[in-house]
Amino acid sequence: MSRGGSHRARRAGDAVAHPSDPRGTGAAQTVPGARRPSVLDGVGGDPGDLVVEARDLSLRFGGVTSLDGVSLRQRRGEILAVIGPNGAGKTSLFNCLTGAYRPQQGSVIFWPQPGRPAELVGRRPHSITRLGVARTFQNIRLFPALSALENVQIGTEVRQKYGPLSVVLGLPHARRAEREGVHRAVELLDLVGLRHRTHELASSLPYGEQRRLEIARALGTEPRLLLLDEPAAGTNPAEKRDLAALITRIADTGVSVLLIEHDMGLVMSLATSVAVLNFGRMIAYGPPAEVQRDPAVIEAYLGASADAATSAAGPVPTSSASAGPTSAGPTSAGPTSAGPLLDDAAFDGDAQGGPGPGSGPVGRKELG
Amino acid sequence: MTGPSGPSGPSGPSGPGIPGQPTFPSRGGTGAGPGPGPGGVDPGALDPGETLALTTRGTAGPSPSRRASLGSGDAPSSDSATGQAGSPGSVGSAGSVGVTSGGWEPGNRRPPWHPAELFSPARLRLLGVMVLVGLLAAVVTGRTGNSDKPLQAAWDSIVDPRIVLFLVLAVALWLVVVLGGELRALVTRLATPVRAPFATAYGRRGGPIGLNLVLLAVAIIAPLLFSTAAQQSMVNDIGIYALLALGLNVVVGYAGLLDLGYIAFFAIGAYATAYFSSQTAMPWHAPFTLNPFFVFPIALILAGLAGVILGAPTLRLRGDYLAIVTLGFGEIIQIVANNADSITNGARGAFGVPHLSIHLPGIDYTWGIEPLPYYYLLLAIIVLVMIAFGRLERSRIGRSWAAIREDEIAAEATGVATLRLKLLAFAIGASVSGFAGVLFASKQFFNPQSFSLQASFFVVAVVIFGGLGSRLGVVVGAVVLQGLAFYLRDKVQPADRYIYFGAVIVVMMIFRPQGLVPSRRRRREIELSEAGIGGADALGPAPTGARP
């Protein structure tokens, strides 16, 4: 209650206090370096342009701090990538944004339309989805015994209003709504390239197609903000290219995409901004090329090995060509020598423990 | 290069992995690792087992696929990377892929009627179990013993010639089980086109309309062939329980909520009838008298309301807890009805509730003591309820229920208002139960005995026996189980009757856990959850039913 109240007060002063407030609370305490606040400032200059803003989110499980004062802003239509080692709190952040977890502190404001803010913290997940925030899961969660079409239909029918009585009586508006739901679902299956799988069971689809089906289901709810949790995990290069094209297409339709991804190539080629989490804190935020050069990121995330540079250059052909060389400089000069490969650094980040700037809790399980 | 790849040198696959790398596009991105090992992994043939391997790879070591996609951009470093990062992953995943693809390959198995296949240890064990069950059945159905020689009766039953019949039945059942899957596969292969698991995208029918009409005709004609006692039973037991089971099917079968106090809503409907339609049935009565027909909507709403009141605080609970709470609710209602002498007339029950009657200009009809008119009224109501629930099941509401059953978290994240929909299922089920209560009460007499815990369990048994989520199934379940009860009425002592029910249900659950006439969706869910897919990802399996 009191939290809601304090938030409302904040929101009331939004127009005036907006640029300074998050910097004062979230940014200053999270950033060890002095550089990052300016980056965050650059992002959210105009509040009317934002689609979502998380302010000072903190999430603790007992003694384990999963998120520690994370602030995040995303502009409308932007593809924002959240990266970070395993256990950095990326999925926890997603779960806070979608209502699966309720952070102990902080607020999330979402603008389905410009000028119409809505507080997400404290809402139940389905009502957040109806507001226009859809998500996919890191470990695919389809409805396995339903067909691909039915899976997407669940999404497309979410906003339909007709009740059981109209269904039982077969009223025309219920039938029409049902047909529309099917049409939209088929369109979405087309969009993700699964038209030929319409009537097959979700569980019988190959892995990559299940991922795309999950995206179609999320899109069925007509989101303004789409959260993709590692959409490229376990997909092959060709599928990754398709996926990148699909995400670009989705963003082109005006849907803002918030992306968790470990594949640096994909991140660098797709994202308009990148946020880096480590130990539940945001350590960098900015355009991909800048983040790549950020010493804090290289230190904490990329593992400071020569391989980091190559991987950052990325396998996806559309990757920014300049990214590789520029980041190669600082990386090759990094401290560790024979050291861990990028993957080790990226995926076993917790194991390194020490170098983390916050020296936060270690050995945390990734949630979700 | 040599540094990192050194440790991984001895492990074989890393070597071939590097030369194999240029051909990465042909690997179909299965992430099968650079290992040449099992090879031939068809990307189209990715099965769930493999996706499991991929998931672990995705989080633990996605490096090989990514490295592979790097191409020849930076030869030395990527090579070494593949050498090191690739090999540990590839060993593990290659192994797992090999296992899964081996497991799923049809291969050239022997036909199941081949002696070596037929008498495999597992099947012999099954035969042994069958024979034991046969012996048990022979003992149970045999003579009643006395306390002096407790084992004499059992021994007599076993040496009785009847034993041959039981043993033949046991072997026959064994054969059906052993060869049944093969036969069923053959039938379905012949009957269904390869790639049309469902009829159409739009309005899929519940079943072939012709079959439904035949069944309806049978239901209309059948009572004419039976004695009055049988007709009475068809109304009181089969009809009412079919209606109750249809209602409970919404709760248990569609929404996946185990409700063990379901009969309480039935009681609410019955007592509402007594309260509103008679001045004399109970000490407590309405100041006015209504025709029982007008009590239908009242009971519908009252029972639905009771469902919502009970459900609102309890539906947040998962599976087992909900079952306990509803169990308690059922008991409370029955005990109150039994003890509130000054209100409900206590254990004596309500007497003289008026029969259903229609008084309209031109029509003047009363459902009297004769069972047949009641039967047809019940039949009409049951058919209407079945049609209504069929529509509900195929609608967005039914799909949402299916989604909740299969993965509640994903359903919630897709925007399904899970709590509200569960509450809706609860209310609909309760309403139907209340409706049945009015029909039950308007046969003039009832007492709290009818609302016992046993009755609740019996409805649950009917639903599970008939087939969770299958409308036709639960009606058939009511016919079979209550038919069995009627058949046993004169042949077995009342106390023994439940032994037969128990045996039938146990056998059923072992050999046909999806029920007599399973719903397609539910059968798929059970198959998938047995294969470890359905609900395996969620916090647990669907609260009830999915896991027999």
Side-chain angles (χ1 to χ4, degrees), chain B residues 390-483:
Chain B
R391 289 185 162 179
L392 216 50
E393 189 192 0
R394 290 188 298 271
S395 74
R396 120 192 130 90
I397 294 168
R399 266 187 296 277
S400 303
W401 281 333
I404 292 171
R405 234 161 43 209
E406 291 188 27
D407 191 334
E408 196 169 334
I409 289 174
E412 182 83 13
T414 315
V416 176
T418 52
L419 200 62
R420 195 178 311 158
L421 274 155
K422 286 200 259 181
L423 211 53
L424 179 68
F426 224 63
I428 289 176
S431 301
V432 172
S433 189
F435 199 88
V438 179
L439 278 167
F440 183 69
S442 66
K443 293 185 86 302
Q444 286 213 301
F445 164 76
F446 64 87
N447 66 22
Q449 209 76 96
S450 314
F451 314 121
S452 63
L453 196 58
Q454 214 163 38
S456 259
F457 286 152
F458 197 81
V459 184
V460 175
V462 165
V463 171
I464 293 173
F465 182 85
L468 278 170
S470 159
R471 289 161 294 141
L472 185 61
V474 299
V475 173
V476 171
V479 171
V480 171
L481 284 186
Q482 289 288 26

Side-chain angles (χ1 to χ4, degrees), chain A residues 81-121:
Chain A
V82 178
I83 63 174
N86 263 3
K90 305 183 297 296
T91 300
S92 293
L93 176 64
F94 265 37
N95 283 337
C96 286
L97 293 184
T98 56
Y101 293 154
R102 187 178 180 147
Q104 279 87 1
Q105 188 190 326
S107 70
V108 178
I109 300 158
F110 170 64
W111 287 264
Q113 276 122 39
R116 282 234 209 124
E119 168 68 57
L120 295 190
V121 171

